[in-house]
PDB file of all heavy atoms in Angstrom:
ATOM      1  N   VAL A   1     110.228  92.356  96.698  1.00 32.00           N
ATOM      2  CA  VAL A   1     110.234  91.426  95.585  1.00 32.00           C
ATOM      3  C   VAL A   1     110.241  90.005  96.119  1.00 32.00           C
ATOM      4  O   VAL A   1     110.930  89.675  97.068  1.00 32.00           O
ATOM      5  CB  VAL A   1     111.478  91.680  94.711  1.00 32.00           C
ATOM      6  CG1 VAL A   1     111.531  90.698  93.552  1.00 32.00           C
ATOM      7  CG2 VAL A   1     111.451  93.110  94.196  1.00 32.00           C
ATOM      8  N   ALA A   2     109.449  89.130  95.437  1.00 35.00           N
ATOM      9  CA  ALA A   2     109.278  87.773  95.932  1.00 35.00           C
ATOM     10  C   ALA A   2     110.570  86.974  95.873  1.00 35.00           C
ATOM     11  O   ALA A   2     110.804  86.115  96.701  1.00 35.00           O
ATOM     12  CB  ALA A   2     108.189  87.066  95.128  1.00 35.00           C
ATOM     13  N   SER A   3     111.403  87.231  94.887  1.00 37.00           N
ATOM     14  CA  SER A   3     112.636  86.460  94.777  1.00 37.00           C
ATOM     15  C   SER A   3     113.828  87.375  94.991  1.00 37.00           C
ATOM     16  O   SER A   3     114.034  88.334  94.273  1.00 37.00           O
ATOM     17  CB  SER A   3     112.718  85.807  93.386  1.00 37.00           C
ATOM     18  OG  SER A   3     112.636  86.790  92.389  1.00 37.00           O
ATOM     19  N   GLY A   4     114.609  87.057  96.016  1.00 38.00           N
ATOM     20  CA  GLY A   4     115.782  87.854  96.298  1.00 38.00           C
ATOM     21  C   GLY A   4     115.465  89.085  97.109  1.00 38.00           C
ATOM     22  O   GLY A   4     114.324  89.419  97.370  1.00 38.00           O
ATOM     23  N   CYS A   5     116.510  89.803  97.506  1.00 35.00           N
ATOM     24  CA  CYS A   5     116.345  91.001  98.310  1.00 35.00           C
ATOM     25  C   CYS A   5     116.409  92.217  97.423  1.00 35.00           C
ATOM     26  O   CYS A   5     117.234  92.302  96.527  1.00 35.00           O
ATOM     27  CB  CYS A   5     117.454  91.092  99.359  1.00 35.00           C
ATOM     28  SG  CYS A   5     117.433  89.709 100.520  1.00 35.00           S
ATOM     29  N   ALA A   6     115.512  93.169  97.665  1.00 38.00           N
ATOM     30  CA  ALA A   6     115.513  94.391  96.882  1.00 38.00           C
ATOM     31  C   ALA A   6     116.684  95.262  97.302  1.00 38.00           C
ATOM     32  O   ALA A   6     117.093  95.287  98.456  1.00 38.00           O
ATOM     33  CB  ALA A   6     114.205  95.143  97.101  1.00 38.00           C
ATOM     34  N   PRO A   7     117.230  96.030  96.350  1.00 38.00           N
ATOM     35  CA  PRO A   7     118.349  96.891  96.698  1.00 38.00           C
ATOM     36  C   PRO A   7     117.883  98.060  97.534  1.00 38.00           C
ATOM     37  O   PRO A   7     116.705  98.376  97.599  1.00 38.00           O
ATOM     38  CB  PRO A   7     118.850  97.367  95.322  1.00 38.00           C
ATOM     39  CG  PRO A   7     117.626  97.306  94.461  1.00 38.00           C
ATOM     40  CD  PRO A   7     116.870  96.113  94.946  1.00 38.00           C
ATOM     41  N   GLU A   8     118.862  98.716  98.153  1.00 36.00           N
ATOM     42  CA  GLU A   8     118.530  99.885  98.947  1.00 36.00           C
ATOM     43  C   GLU A   8     117.888 100.938  98.060  1.00 36.00           C
ATOM     44  O   GLU A   8     118.357 101.204  96.959  1.00 36.00           O
ATOM     45  CB  GLU A   8     119.802 100.454  99.577  1.00 36.00           C
ATOM     46  CG  GLU A   8     119.533 101.669 100.475  1.00 36.00           C
ATOM     47  CD  GLU A   8     120.798 102.173 101.113  1.00 36.00           C
ATOM     48  OE1 GLU A   8     121.828 101.477 100.980  1.00 36.00           O
ATOM     49  OE2 GLU A   8     120.758 103.234 101.730  1.00 36.00           O
ATOM     50  N   ALA A   9     116.779 101.516  98.516  1.00 37.00           N
ATOM     51  CA  ALA A   9     116.064 102.494  97.709  1.00 37.00           C
ATOM     52  C   ALA A   9     116.901 103.749  97.551  1.00 37.00           C
ATOM     53  O   ALA A   9     117.509 104.223  98.507  1.00 37.00           O
ATOM     54  CB  ALA A   9     114.734 102.840  98.363  1.00 37.00           C
ATOM     55  N   PRO A  10     116.931 104.310  96.328  1.00 35.00           N
ATOM     56  CA  PRO A  10     117.702 105.519  96.113  1.00 35.00           C
ATOM     57  C   PRO A  10     116.984 106.723  96.669  1.00 35.00           C
ATOM     58  O   PRO A  10     115.818 106.657  97.049  1.00 35.00           O
ATOM     59  CB  PRO A  10     117.791 105.589  94.582  1.00 35.00           C
ATOM     60  CG  PRO A  10     116.526 104.932  94.130  1.00 35.00           C
ATOM     61  CD  PRO A  10     116.276 103.832  95.125  1.00 35.00           C
ATOM     62  N   ALA A  11     117.679 107.833  96.671  1.00 35.00           N
ATOM     63  CA  ALA A  11     117.040 109.074  97.096  1.00 35.00           C
ATOM     64  C   ALA A  11     115.917 109.418  96.137  1.00 35.00           C
ATOM     65  O   ALA A  11     115.987 109.102  94.950  1.00 35.00           O
ATOM     66  CB  ALA A  11     118.077 110.194  97.119  1.00 35.00           C
ATOM     67  N   PRO A  12     114.831 110.051  96.625  1.00 35.00           N
ATOM     68  CA  PRO A  12     113.716 110.403  95.757  1.00 35.00           C
ATOM     69  C   PRO A  12     114.172 111.277  94.598  1.00 35.00           C
ATOM     70  O   PRO A  12     115.092 112.089  94.730  1.00 35.00           O
ATOM     71  CB  PRO A  12     112.776 111.173  96.697  1.00 35.00           C
ATOM     72  CG  PRO A  12     113.145 110.702  98.066  1.00 35.00           C
ATOM     73  CD  PRO A  12     114.609 110.452  98.017  1.00 35.00           C
ATOM     74  N   VAL A  13     113.515 111.080  93.449  1.00 35.00           N
ATOM     75  CA  VAL A  13     113.805 111.889  92.287  1.00 35.00           C
ATOM     76  C   VAL A  13     112.599 112.743  91.980  1.00 35.00           C
ATOM     77  O   VAL A  13     111.537 112.589  92.569  1.00 35.00           O
ATOM     78  CB  VAL A  13     114.154 111.001  91.069  1.00 35.00           C
ATOM     79  CG1 VAL A  13     115.404 110.197  91.343  1.00 35.00           C
ATOM     80  CG2 VAL A  13     112.989 110.078  90.723  1.00 35.00           C
ATOM     81  N   ALA A  14     112.750 113.634  91.029  1.00 36.00           N
ATOM     82  CA  ALA A  14     111.638 114.524  90.689  1.00 36.00           C
ATOM     83  C   ALA A  14     110.449 113.707  90.224  1.00 36.00           C
ATOM     84  O   ALA A  14     110.588 112.723  89.519  1.00 36.00           O
ATOM     85  CB  ALA A  14     112.083 115.487  89.595  1.00 36.00           C
ATOM     86  N   GLY A  15     109.285 114.121  90.601  1.00 38.00           N
ATOM     87  CA  GLY A  15     108.077 113.393  90.213  1.00 38.00           C
ATOM     88  C   GLY A  15     106.956 113.735  91.144  1.00 38.00           C
ATOM     89  O   GLY A  15     106.885 114.830  91.692  1.00 38.00           O
ATOM     90  N   ASN A  16     106.096 112.776  91.383  1.00 41.00           N
ATOM     91  CA  ASN A  16     104.909 112.993  92.196  1.00 41.00           C
ATOM     92  C   ASN A  16     105.249 112.811  93.671  1.00 41.00           C
ATOM     93  O   ASN A  16     104.790 111.874  94.315  1.00 41.00           O
ATOM     94  CB  ASN A  16     103.821 112.010  91.742  1.00 41.00           C
ATOM     95  CG  ASN A  16     102.510 112.275  92.435  1.00 41.00           C
ATOM     96  OD1 ASN A  16     102.312 113.328  93.029  1.00 41.00           O
ATOM     97  ND2 ASN A  16     101.615 111.307  92.358  1.00 41.00           N
ATOM     98  N   GLN A  17     106.074 113.688  94.216  1.00 40.00           N
ATOM     99  CA  GLN A  17     106.593 113.501  95.562  1.00 40.00           C
ATOM    100  C   GLN A  17     105.556 113.730  96.653  1.00 40.00           C
ATOM    101  O   GLN A  17     105.691 113.213  97.746  1.00 40.00           O
ATOM    102  CB  GLN A  17     107.788 114.433  95.783  1.00 40.00           C
ATOM    103  CG  GLN A  17     108.964 114.144  94.845  1.00 40.00           C
ATOM    104  CD  GLN A  17     109.446 112.715  94.960  1.00 40.00           C
ATOM    105  OE1 GLN A  17     109.621 112.200  96.063  1.00 40.00           O
ATOM    106  NE2 GLN A  17     109.643 112.049  93.838  1.00 40.00           N
ATOM    107  N   ALA A  18     104.504 114.474  96.368  1.00 42.00           N
ATOM    108  CA  ALA A  18     103.527 114.796  97.412  1.00 42.00           C
ATOM    109  C   ALA A  18     102.831 113.560  97.937  1.00 42.00           C
ATOM    110  O   ALA A  18     102.395 113.513  99.070  1.00 42.00           O
ATOM    111  CB  ALA A  18     102.499 115.788  96.868  1.00 42.00           C
ATOM    112  N   SER A  19     102.720 112.509  97.117  1.00 56.00           N
ATOM    113  CA  SER A  19     101.964 111.325  97.519  1.00 56.00           C
ATOM    114  C   SER A  19     102.864 110.118  97.767  1.00 56.00           C
ATOM    115  O   SER A  19     102.387 108.996  97.818  1.00 56.00           O
ATOM    116  CB  SER A  19     100.927 110.982  96.454  1.00 56.00           C
ATOM    117  OG  SER A  19     101.549 110.796  95.200  1.00 56.00           O
ATOM    118  N   THR A  20     104.172 110.318  97.885  1.00 67.00           N
ATOM    119  CA  THR A  20     105.069 109.204  98.143  1.00 67.00           C
ATOM    120  C   THR A  20     105.684 109.316  99.525  1.00 67.00           C
ATOM    121  O   THR A  20     105.710 110.369 100.143  1.00 67.00           O
ATOM    122  CB  THR A  20     106.206 109.161  97.101  1.00 67.00           C
ATOM    123  OG1 THR A  20     106.957 110.371  97.198  1.00 67.00           O
ATOM    124  CG2 THR A  20     105.654 109.010  95.702  1.00 67.00           C
ATOM    125  N   ARG A  21     106.195 108.178 100.009  1.00 75.00           N
ATOM    126  CA  ARG A  21     106.889 108.145 101.294  1.00 75.00           C
ATOM    127  C   ARG A  21     108.389 108.240 101.058  1.00 75.00           C
ATOM    128  O   ARG A  21     108.849 108.030  99.932  1.00 75.00           O
ATOM    129  CB  ARG A  21     106.521 106.858 102.030  1.00 75.00           C
ATOM    130  CG  ARG A  21     105.066 106.820 102.476  1.00 75.00           C
ATOM    131  CD  ARG A  21     104.824 105.613 103.376  1.00 75.00           C
ATOM    132  NE  ARG A  21     104.752 104.385 102.611  1.00 75.00           N
ATOM    133  CZ  ARG A  21     103.616 103.850 102.173  1.00 75.00           C
ATOM    134  NH1 ARG A  21     102.473 104.451 102.402  1.00 75.00           N
ATOM    135  NH2 ARG A  21     103.621 102.716 101.498  1.00 75.00           N
ATOM    136  N   PRO A  22     109.159 108.536 102.095  1.00 70.00           N
ATOM    137  CA  PRO A  22     110.613 108.646 101.927  1.00 70.00           C
ATOM    138  C   PRO A  22     111.193 107.393 101.289  1.00 70.00           C
ATOM    139  O   PRO A  22     110.887 106.272 101.687  1.00 70.00           O
ATOM    140  CB  PRO A  22     111.113 108.830 103.367  1.00 70.00           C
ATOM    141  CG  PRO A  22     109.952 109.471 104.074  1.00 70.00           C
ATOM    142  CD  PRO A  22     108.734 108.854 103.471  1.00 70.00           C
ATOM    143  N   GLY A  23     112.030 107.586 100.289  1.00 75.00           N
ATOM    144  CA  GLY A  23     112.659 106.468  99.606  1.00 75.00           C
ATOM    145  C   GLY A  23     111.917 106.006  98.376  1.00 75.00           C
ATOM    146  O   GLY A  23     112.464 105.282  97.548  1.00 75.00           O
ATOM    147  N   GLU A  24     110.647 106.390  98.230  1.00 87.00           N
ATOM    148  CA  GLU A  24     109.866 106.003  97.061  1.00 87.00           C
ATOM    149  C   GLU A  24     110.028 107.050  95.966  1.00 87.00           C
ATOM    150  O   GLU A  24     110.225 108.235  96.235  1.00 87.00           O
ATOM    151  CB  GLU A  24     108.384 105.848  97.424  1.00 87.00           C
ATOM    152  CG  GLU A  24     108.122 104.676  98.340  1.00 87.00           C
ATOM    153  CD  GLU A  24     106.668 104.612  98.805  1.00 87.00           C
ATOM    154  OE1 GLU A  24     105.960 105.620  98.632  1.00 87.00           O
ATOM    155  OE2 GLU A  24     106.273 103.577  99.338  1.00 87.00           O
ATOM    156  N   ILE A  25     109.939 106.595  94.729  1.00 94.00           N
ATOM    157  CA  ILE A  25     110.089 107.510  93.609  1.00 94.00           C
ATOM    158  C   ILE A  25     108.772 107.818  92.923  1.00 94.00           C
ATOM    159  O   ILE A  25     108.710 108.700  92.072  1.00 94.00           O
ATOM    160  CB  ILE A  25     111.089 106.959  92.578  1.00 94.00           C
ATOM    161  CG1 ILE A  25     110.619 105.613  92.030  1.00 94.00           C
ATOM    162  CG2 ILE A  25     112.478 106.864  93.190  1.00 94.00           C
ATOM    163  CD1 ILE A  25     111.514 105.050  90.939  1.00 94.00           C
ATOM    164  N   GLY A  26     107.715 107.106  93.249  1.00 96.00           N
ATOM    165  CA  GLY A  26     106.444 107.373  92.590  1.00 96.00           C
ATOM    166  C   GLY A  26     105.321 106.492  93.064  1.00 96.00           C
ATOM    167  O   GLY A  26     105.489 105.625  93.925  1.00 96.00           O
ATOM    168  N   VAL A  27     104.150 106.705  92.463  1.00 98.00           N
ATOM    169  CA  VAL A  27     102.925 105.977  92.782  1.00 98.00           C
ATOM    170  C   VAL A  27     102.389 105.345  91.511  1.00 98.00           C
ATOM    171  O   VAL A  27     102.313 106.003  90.461  1.00 98.00           O
ATOM    172  CB  VAL A  27     101.864 106.924  93.382  1.00 98.00           C
ATOM    173  CG1 VAL A  27     100.526 106.209  93.531  1.00 98.00           C
ATOM    174  CG2 VAL A  27     102.329 107.464  94.727  1.00 98.00           C
ATOM    175  N   ILE A  28     102.031 104.079  91.597  1.00 98.00           N
ATOM    176  CA  ILE A  28     101.457 103.373  90.454  1.00 98.00           C
ATOM    177  C   ILE A  28     100.125 102.783  90.859  1.00 98.00           C
ATOM    178  O   ILE A  28     100.017 102.054  91.845  1.00 98.00           O
ATOM    179  CB  ILE A  28     102.403 102.265  89.954  1.00 98.00           C
ATOM    180  CG1 ILE A  28     103.718 102.877  89.475  1.00 98.00           C
ATOM    181  CG2 ILE A  28     101.749 101.461  88.832  1.00 98.00           C
ATOM    182  CD1 ILE A  28     104.713 101.877  88.955  1.00 98.00           C
ATOM    183  N   GLU A  29      99.100 103.097  90.095  1.00 98.00           N
ATOM    184  CA  GLU A  29      97.756 102.540  90.285  1.00 98.00           C
ATOM    185  C   GLU A  29      97.607 101.319  89.380  1.00 98.00           C
ATOM    186  O   GLU A  29      98.052 101.326  88.222  1.00 98.00           O
ATOM    187  CB  GLU A  29      96.691 103.573  89.919  1.00 98.00           C
ATOM    188  CG  GLU A  29      96.712 104.840  90.757  1.00 98.00           C
ATOM    189  CD  GLU A  29      95.867 104.721  92.014  1.00 98.00           C
ATOM    190  OE1 GLU A  29      95.225 103.679  92.214  1.00 98.00           O
ATOM    191  OE2 GLU A  29      95.856 105.710  92.788  1.00 98.00           O
ATOM    192  N   VAL A  30      96.972 100.270  89.900  1.00 98.00           N
ATOM    193  CA  VAL A  30      96.723  99.063  89.114  1.00 98.00           C
ATOM    194  C   VAL A  30      95.251  98.681  89.241  1.00 98.00           C
ATOM    195  O   VAL A  30      94.560  99.136  90.154  1.00 98.00           O
ATOM    196  CB  VAL A  30      97.608  97.887  89.564  1.00 98.00           C
ATOM    197  CG1 VAL A  30      99.082  98.214  89.408  1.00 98.00           C
ATOM    198  CG2 VAL A  30      97.300  97.506  91.011  1.00 98.00           C
ATOM    199  N   THR A  31      94.780  97.829  88.341  1.00 98.00           N
ATOM    200  CA  THR A  31      93.356  97.503  88.321  1.00 98.00           C
ATOM    201  C   THR A  31      93.034  96.047  88.630  1.00 98.00           C
ATOM    202  O   THR A  31      91.863  95.678  88.651  1.00 98.00           O
ATOM    203  CB  THR A  31      92.748  97.875  86.957  1.00 98.00           C
ATOM    204  OG1 THR A  31      93.448  97.177  85.915  1.00 98.00           O
ATOM    205  CG2 THR A  31      92.832  99.378  86.708  1.00 98.00           C
ATOM    206  N   ASN A  32      94.040  95.227  88.859  1.00 98.00           N
ATOM    207  CA  ASN A  32      93.767  93.864  89.329  1.00 98.00           C
ATOM    208  C   ASN A  32      95.006  93.314  90.027  1.00 98.00           C
ATOM    209  O   ASN A  32      96.090  93.916  89.979  1.00 98.00           O
ATOM    210  CB  ASN A  32      93.286  92.940  88.201  1.00 98.00           C
ATOM    211  CG  ASN A  32      94.283  92.797  87.066  1.00 98.00           C
ATOM    212  OD1 ASN A  32      95.488  92.784  87.274  1.00 98.00           O
ATOM    213  ND2 ASN A  32      93.776  92.688  85.840  1.00 98.00           N
ATOM    214  N   GLU A  33      94.856  92.183  90.690  1.00 98.00           N
ATOM    215  CA  GLU A  33      95.948  91.612  91.475  1.00 98.00           C
ATOM    216  C   GLU A  33      97.111  91.115  90.622  1.00 98.00           C
ATOM    217  O   GLU A  33      98.277  91.307  91.012  1.00 98.00           O
ATOM    218  CB  GLU A  33      95.425  90.485  92.368  1.00 98.00           C
ATOM    219  CG  GLU A  33      96.478  89.850  93.265  1.00 98.00           C
ATOM    220  CD  GLU A  33      97.098  90.830  94.255  1.00 98.00           C
ATOM    221  OE1 GLU A  33      96.484  91.878  94.547  1.00 98.00           O
ATOM    222  OE2 GLU A  33      98.218  90.546  94.750  1.00 98.00           O
ATOM    223  N   PRO A  34      96.871  90.487  89.466  1.00 98.00           N
ATOM    224  CA  PRO A  34      98.025  90.087  88.655  1.00 98.00           C
ATOM    225  C   PRO A  34      98.923  91.267  88.296  1.00 98.00           C
ATOM    226  O   PRO A  34     100.155  91.152  88.339  1.00 98.00           O
ATOM    227  CB  PRO A  34      97.375  89.473  87.409  1.00 98.00           C
ATOM    228  CG  PRO A  34      96.061  88.969  87.896  1.00 98.00           C
ATOM    229  CD  PRO A  34      95.602  89.967  88.909  1.00 98.00           C
ATOM    230  N   LEU A  35      98.328  92.417  87.961  1.00 98.00           N
ATOM    231  CA  LEU A  35      99.131  93.588  87.638  1.00 98.00           C
ATOM    232  C   LEU A  35      99.822  94.150  88.879  1.00 98.00           C
ATOM    233  O   LEU A  35     100.959  94.628  88.803  1.00 98.00           O
ATOM    234  CB  LEU A  35      98.263  94.656  86.981  1.00 98.00           C
ATOM    235  CG  LEU A  35      97.719  94.297  85.600  1.00 98.00           C
ATOM    236  CD1 LEU A  35      96.817  95.406  85.084  1.00 98.00           C
ATOM    237  CD2 LEU A  35      98.847  94.015  84.605  1.00 98.00           C
ATOM    238  N   ALA A  36      99.144  94.100  90.021  1.00 98.00           N
ATOM    239  CA  ALA A  36      99.785  94.533  91.268  1.00 98.00           C
ATOM    240  C   ALA A  36     101.009  93.674  91.539  1.00 98.00           C
ATOM    241  O   ALA A  36     102.075  94.178  91.930  1.00 98.00           O
ATOM    242  CB  ALA A  36      98.790  94.442  92.423  1.00 98.00           C
ATOM    243  N   TRP A  37     100.880  92.373  91.335  1.00 98.00           N
ATOM    244  CA  TRP A  37     102.009  91.456  91.540  1.00 98.00           C
ATOM    245  C   TRP A  37     103.149  91.779  90.589  1.00 98.00           C
ATOM    246  O   TRP A  37     104.321  91.829  90.988  1.00 98.00           O
ATOM    247  CB  TRP A  37     101.529  90.020  91.342  1.00 98.00           C
ATOM    248  CG  TRP A  37     102.614  88.992  91.416  1.00 98.00           C
ATOM    249  CD1 TRP A  37     103.246  88.519  92.529  1.00 98.00           C
ATOM    250  CD2 TRP A  37     103.205  88.308  90.297  1.00 98.00           C
ATOM    251  NE1 TRP A  37     104.187  87.583  92.184  1.00 98.00           N
ATOM    252  CE2 TRP A  37     104.177  87.430  90.830  1.00 98.00           C
ATOM    253  CE3 TRP A  37     102.984  88.337  88.922  1.00 98.00           C
ATOM    254  CZ2 TRP A  37     104.950  86.607  90.009  1.00 98.00           C
ATOM    255  CZ3 TRP A  37     103.751  87.518  88.113  1.00 98.00           C
ATOM    256  CH2 TRP A  37     104.727  86.659  88.651  1.00 98.00           C
ATOM    257  N   VAL A  38     102.825  92.028  89.335  1.00 98.00           N
ATOM    258  CA  VAL A  38     103.849  92.363  88.345  1.00 98.00           C
ATOM    259  C   VAL A  38     104.594  93.630  88.749  1.00 98.00           C
ATOM    260  O   VAL A  38     105.833  93.667  88.741  1.00 98.00           O
ATOM    261  CB  VAL A  38     103.226  92.527  86.945  1.00 98.00           C
ATOM    262  CG1 VAL A  38     104.196  93.213  85.986  1.00 98.00           C
ATOM    263  CG2 VAL A  38     102.805  91.180  86.380  1.00 98.00           C
TER     264      VAL A  38
END
């Protein structure tokens, strides 16, 4: 996050785990840079 430090990532939860890395909870696709930033 651009402002401040992000908290420690929680343990993974149920979801699309096959395509995530350790500590991530999911995958989000975006269609332009403003949305990626958001």
Side-chain angles (χ1 to χ4, degrees):
V1 179
S3 57
C5 298
E8 182 178 351
V13 297
N16 186 15
Q17 298 303 314
S19 57
T20 61
R21 292 188 284 266
E24 292 174 346
I25 60 176
V27 172
I28 298 180
E29 299 272 357
V30 299
T31 58
N32 60 36
E33 182 62 21
L35 293 177
W37 175 76
V38 166

